[in-house]
Amino acid sequence: MLRGKKILIGVTGSIAAYKTAHLVRLLVKAGAEVRVLMTPAACDFISPLTLGTLSKHPVSVHMVSNADQGTWTNHVEMGMWADLLVVAPASANTIGKMANGICDNLLLAVYLSAKCPVMIAPAMDLDMYRHPSVKLNLSRLKEYGNNVLQAENGELASGLIGEGRMPEPENIFAAIEQQFSKKKKLSGKRILITAGPTHEAIDPVRFIGNSSSGKMGIAIAELAASWGAEVHLVCGPSFVESSSAVHRINVRFAAEMYKEVNRLFPSSDVAILSAAVADYRPKSVAGKKIKKADAVLNIELEPTADILKSLGEKKKKNQFLVGFALETDHEIENAKKKIKSKNLDLIVLNSLNDKGAGFGYDTNKITLIDRNNKMVRFELKSKQEVAADILNAIVKNIK
Ligand code: CTP
């Protein structure tokens, strides 16, 4: 599977760097073309000569390799060359810089300009790995669409025992193989996704909205694209960015979302409607800003069209329709009712009773229920991991 694949390995300053030699060896043996980049600190832990010999190519460390002759390393070209960039080991320092757009060495410049998927294998001591700033940086890197591997548990170089070890080279190798096979899981499929809230105008400056961030739907869109799907994301107002791999159509009102989704649905194989669409909108929108008055202000509301239901009504046999349900009580019962009333193939249930789940969080806790009422409950996970659970359930059901 890895034969001919171009893999760029970024090595940073961590004692685990010695294990990267074995990873490079495994990749070369599997037929991959491997190039290695190192940060200056990484060279204190393992010599460029070792990694250069194993990868059969000179190792790059500095932006400018021969200043007096004006020779520099073209980081843009390196980022374009690779099918995959693997940062292993990724130190807390490099993780912090990657998460915050800092670019003070060649490896970081390549990361910022890389167009290919990026895998990150963290390695540090357990208290560093547990630190809130590191956690935040890692979740940010996941949000950017990077594949962040979980550090492993065991004895650390400090002698302490806990989480923080770089995954073993064999495990990184397996994750790399999986990354390439994932691409195939949804290749040739067209997936339509909705995300975010909608804003229903009251007057030119005010609206009725909700606190959906769009994070869940955007995580699904990014992952589906990295699994090879052609993804159209119809997104309500959200500050969360998406990569160029996703075709994003920004909308504001439920009516605009309805129009775009219904336009794209006939040519979609799968539709996943995760947006928190307003169920009501002001019946009339004031042309000018409503002035403050002493009297009570009543705003008459009318229902918006149910986008998900409209797709359920026109769904063809070969189309797979997924809805979301955010419930506070009688969760399972209500979700099952929605499967029937909206003619869904699968529903993703979020309960507002679960801590860390729902709007705004980076985590979510879901239950999947299919049209035969088969139910699978999942633990609290990052939204990227939840996206993988949802997409895996879809992959199992579509041809
Ligand atoms: N949805 C939609 N269009 C709407 C309202 C909701 O497409 N106008 C979709 C959401 O994207 C989600 C699903 O319907 O996939 C469920 O939304 P939810 O608000 O939980 O259900 P409702 O049918 O609106 O019922 P209720 O709010 O009464 O629970």
Side-chain angles (χ1 to χ4, degrees), residues 194 273-275 277-279 304-308 323-327 338 342:
T194 68
L273 270 58
S274 72
V277 186
D279 287 331
T304 57
D306 190 323
I307 307 168
L308 184 58
F324 271 64
L326 182 63
E327 305 287 343
K338 278 179 194 170
K342 303 195 190 197

Side-chain angles (χ1 to χ4, degrees), residues 182 185-186 191-193 216-229 231 270 272 320 322 346 348 366 368 378 384-398:
K182 265 180 195 168
K185 278 194 193 176
L186 286 171
I191 303 199
L192 171 62
I193 297 169
M216 190 65 249
I218 293 172
I220 299 171
E222 291 294 348
L223 194 67
S226 78
W227 288 13
V231 178
V270 178
I272 308 168
F320 195 86
V322 184
L346 186 73
V348 183
I366 59 157
L368 293 179
F378 294 87
Q384 283 69 26
E385 289 167 308
V386 172
D389 291 335
I390 295 169
L391 289 178
N392 274 322
I394 295 170
V395 167
K396 271 193 213 149
N397 281 285
I398 57 173

Side-chain angles (χ1 to χ4, degrees), residues 112-372:
L112 282 181
S113 48
K115 287 237 186 326
C116 60
V118 179
M119 181 181 287
I120 297 162
M124 64 200 78
D125 215 64
L126 81 167
D127 292 311
M128 295 170 79
Y129 191 61
R130 266 190 211 146
H131 197 279
S133 63
V134 173
K135 280 191 174 163
L136 188 72
N137 288 332
L138 286 172
S139 73
R140 214 182 239 192
L141 288 175
K142 286 182 194 166
E143 241 168 59
Y144 298 158
N146 299 302
N147 181 0
V148 178
L149 305 182
Q150 178 91 20
E152 290 182 0
N153 215 301
E155 190 174 347
L156 297 153
S158 61
L160 296 172
I161 293 174
E163 220 174 16
R165 278 161 64 109
M166 182 174 88
E168 290 302 322
E170 286 78 6
N171 295 342
I172 301 178
F173 181 83
I176 293 172
E177 279 196 317
Q178 207 193 352
Q179 172 96 24
F180 283 108
S181 69
K182 265 180 195 168
K183 272 195 160 173
K184 291 188 197 127
K185 278 194 193 176
L186 286 171
S187 63
K189 297 289 175 205
R190 290 168 64 99
I191 303 199
L192 171 62
I193 297 169
T194 68
T198 62
H199 287 178
E200 308 303 326
I202 298 170
D203 70 12
V205 291
R206 301 183 180 96
F207 59 84
I208 296 175
N210 60 67
S211 46
S212 164
S213 61
K215 282 180 184 170
M216 190 65 249
I218 293 172
I220 299 171
E222 291 294 348
L223 194 67
S226 78
W227 288 13
E230 184 183 328
V231 178
H232 285 93
L233 170 70
V234 181
C235 196
S238 164
F239 291 111
V240 182
E241 293 190 352
S242 48
S243 73
S244 56
V246 169
H247 305 284
R248 179 166 175 165
I249 300 121
N250 288 322
V251 295
R252 188 175 168 214
F253 311 119
E256 285 177 278
M257 190 174 273
Y258 181 93
K259 194 169 140 237
E260 290 301 326
V261 168
N262 275 279
R263 177 177 68 80
L264 292 160
F265 186 60
S267 56
S268 303
D269 300 297
V270 178
I272 308 168
L273 270 58
S274 72
V277 186
D279 287 331
Y280 292 92
R281 66 174 174 215
K283 199 164 180 184
S284 61
V285 182
K288 290 187 180 152
K289 187 180 166 213
I290 299 170
K291 285 305 224 185
K292 188 166 58 185
D294 287 336
V296 168
L297 174 69
N298 286 310
I299 300 173
E300 203 180 347
L301 301 177
E302 63 180 6
T304 57
D306 190 323
I307 307 168
L308 184 58
K309 197 165 179 207
S310 73
L311 301 190
E313 282 161 4
K314 56 175 75 113
K315 189 178 68 162
K316 299 248 162 55
K317 260 201 158 153
N318 57 349
Q319 290 181 302
F320 195 86
L321 184 58
V322 184
F324 271 64
L326 182 63
E327 305 287 343
T328 48
D329 49 4
H330 307 302
E331 292 106 332
I332 306 283
E333 200 185 314
N334 284 336
K336 285 182 178 171
K337 272 190 203 152
K338 278 179 194 170
I339 297 181
K340 293 251 147 30
S341 65
K342 303 195 190 197
N343 189 22
L344 309 181
D345 297 293
L346 186 73
I347 198 156
V348 183
L349 168 65
N350 293 291
S351 167
L352 273 185
N353 300 325
D354 289 323
K355 217 171 152 253
F359 288 174
Y361 290 101
D362 289 327
T363 50
N364 204 358
K365 187 170 186 302
I366 59 157
T367 301
L368 293 179
I369 310 174
D370 72 13
R371 57 182 306 126
N372 303 316

